[in-house]
């Protein structure tokens, strides 16, 4: 199985993908059976695991518990090198290309090399672009970078394209977890025009309507975390 090849073939068939983001710090493991049961019955195609502050064992334990309960690919979306679990299927190897902080452009990635070496994780180079959403988010605080303005479509599109030309295999447009406003649809559409690699969009998407709008604007894969954490009926809403 190659997580990336599956994303590519879904894109080629215009089949839209949905990842649920589980933050190991916020997740109540007592609910894991029911929760994964709901995931397995839904249109969710990927499970992303990651957060900003999680400790090393917490991610590992969550991944080990999830594995026997689902056939869906488990993809690490790490906020830090401490969140690398060898038992996941793949890792988004992120570089925060909207920011100018060397720590998140290359230093953390260098630190990750010796941790990744003994694993069989599929490493997917991902250009990560933070978009201003109306309030300061955790990613912004942790990475000490300035997001790109929500109307600055050209800069975001050029940043995404530069990522592609540098060899990134995915572009992730991020409004930030719990964002007040998701990435604007116009921006998704603008970025999409000239981008050949798959486009991920996440942050602040809380309804089926917003999900469909993001797909229609050009997102190939949408990531939703907070709506699943805060709204028990969100699985039901997705089916409507
Ligand atoms: C955050 O894009 C993801 O990194 C998901 O955001 O929690 O707002 O859905 P939400």
């Amino acid at each position: 199985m190659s997580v990336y090849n599956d994303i590519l073939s879904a894109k080629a068939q215009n089949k839209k993908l949905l990842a649920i983001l589980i933050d190991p710090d916020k997740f109540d493991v007592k609910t894991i059976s029911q929760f994964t049961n709901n995931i397995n019955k839904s249109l969710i195609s990927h499970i992303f695991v990651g957060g900003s502050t999680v400790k090393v064992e917490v991610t590992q334990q969550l991944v080990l518990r999830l594995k026997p309960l689902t056939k869906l690919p488990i993809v690490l979306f790490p906020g830090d090198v401490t969140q690398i679990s060898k038992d996941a299927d793949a890792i988004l190897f992120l570089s925060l290309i909207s920011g100018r902080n060397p720590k998140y452009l290359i230093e953390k990635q260098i630190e990750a090399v010796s941790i990744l070496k003994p694993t069989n994780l599929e490493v997917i180079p991902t250009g990560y672009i933070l978009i201003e959403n109306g309030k300061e988010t955790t990613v912004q605080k942790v990475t000490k970078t300035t997001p790109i303005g929500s109307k600055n479509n050209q800069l975001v599109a050029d940043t995404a394209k530069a990522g592609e030309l540098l060899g990134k295999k995915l572009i992730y447009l991020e409004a930030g977890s719990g964002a007040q406003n998701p990435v604007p649809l116009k921006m998704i559409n603008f970025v999409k025009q000239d981008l050949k690699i798959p486009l991920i969009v996440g942050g602040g998407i809380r309804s089926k309507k917003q999900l469909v709008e993001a797909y229609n604007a050009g997102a190939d894969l949408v990531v939703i975390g907070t709506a699943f954490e805060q709204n028990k009926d969100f699985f039901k809403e997705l089916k409507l």
Side-chain angles (χ1 to χ4, degrees):
M1 177 179 86
S2 159
V3 174
Y4 185 64
N5 285 344
D6 288 350
I7 294 175
L8 278 185
S9 64
K11 181 178 185 291
Q13 296 163 51
N14 202 27
K15 188 173 164 277
K16 300 295 183 178
L17 302 171
L18 174 62
I20 181 170
L21 174 63
I22 305 180
D23 182 339
D25 266 347
K26 295 184 191 157
F27 188 70
D28 179 4
V29 283
K30 288 198 265 345
T31 64
I32 199 163
S33 303
Q34 183 58 46
F35 195 74
T36 34
N37 201 17
N38 285 337
I39 292 176
N40 293 334
K41 287 191 294 190
S42 73
L43 45 89
I44 291 168
S45 55
H46 293 77
I47 300 177
F48 282 9
V49 174
S52 301
T53 58
V54 282
K55 304 225 164 43
V56 66
E57 322 75 40
V58 189
T59 305
Q60 175 65 6
Q61 278 163 16
L62 178 63
V63 170
L64 283 176
R65 278 173 166 245
L66 281 170
K67 270 211 115 159
L69 298 174
T70 182
K71 289 194 177 71
L72 296 178
I74 300 176
V75 179
L76 301 173
F77 172 53
D80 205 282
V81 293
T82 53
Q83 294 166 26
I84 299 174
S85 157
K86 65 176 177 38
D87 296 295
D89 297 298
I91 177 168
L92 298 188
F93 200 57
L94 304 166
S95 179
L96 182 55
I97 57 176
S98 59
R100 298 295 176 265
N101 184 349
K103 208 178 202 179
Y104 293 92
L105 278 165
I106 184 65
E107 290 175 17
K108 292 277 180 189
Q109 293 77 355
I110 294 171
E111 215 181 312
V113 170
S114 59
I115 305 171
L116 287 170
K117 216 170 195 173
T119 76
N120 288 318
L121 285 168
E122 179 185 339
V123 177
I124 310 176
T126 304
Y128 190 52
I129 301 178
L130 189 58
I131 311 297
E132 187 270 320
N133 80 92
K135 68 169 191 188
E136 198 187 26
T137 54
T138 314
V139 200
Q140 197 179 333
K141 274 186 230 160
V142 171
T143 62
K144 297 189 178 65
T145 63
T146 313
I148 301 181
S150 59
K151 292 203 169 68
N152 208 341
N153 294 343
Q154 191 63 56
L155 179 58
V156 175
D158 289 352
T159 305
K161 193 67 189 176
E164 179 185 301
L165 296 175
L166 278 166
K168 307 293 179 216
K169 292 187 168 175
L170 295 171
I171 292 296
Y172 191 138
L173 292 186
E174 170 73 280
S177 187
Q180 195 162 298
N181 304 303
V183 177
L185 300 174
K186 264 191 190 163
M187 181 178 278
I188 299 173
N189 195 260
F190 198 83
V191 169
K192 187 71 180 176
Q193 310 284 321
D194 196 29
L195 195 71
K196 294 197 178 69
I197 54 177
L199 182 63
I200 302 182
V201 175
I205 295 175
R206 292 184 181 79
S207 67
K208 175 90 185 264
K209 181 172 174 280
Q210 286 176 314
L211 172 67
V212 173
E213 284 172 348
Y215 285 150
N216 291 341
D220 297 299
L221 187 156
V222 168
V223 184
I224 301 181
T226 306
F228 288 107
E229 281 164 20
Q230 294 183 348
N231 177 5
K232 284 209 174 71
D233 292 329
F234 196 63
F235 282 108
K236 280 188 207 144
E237 185 183 331
L238 279 183
K239 282 188 194 152
L240 299 174

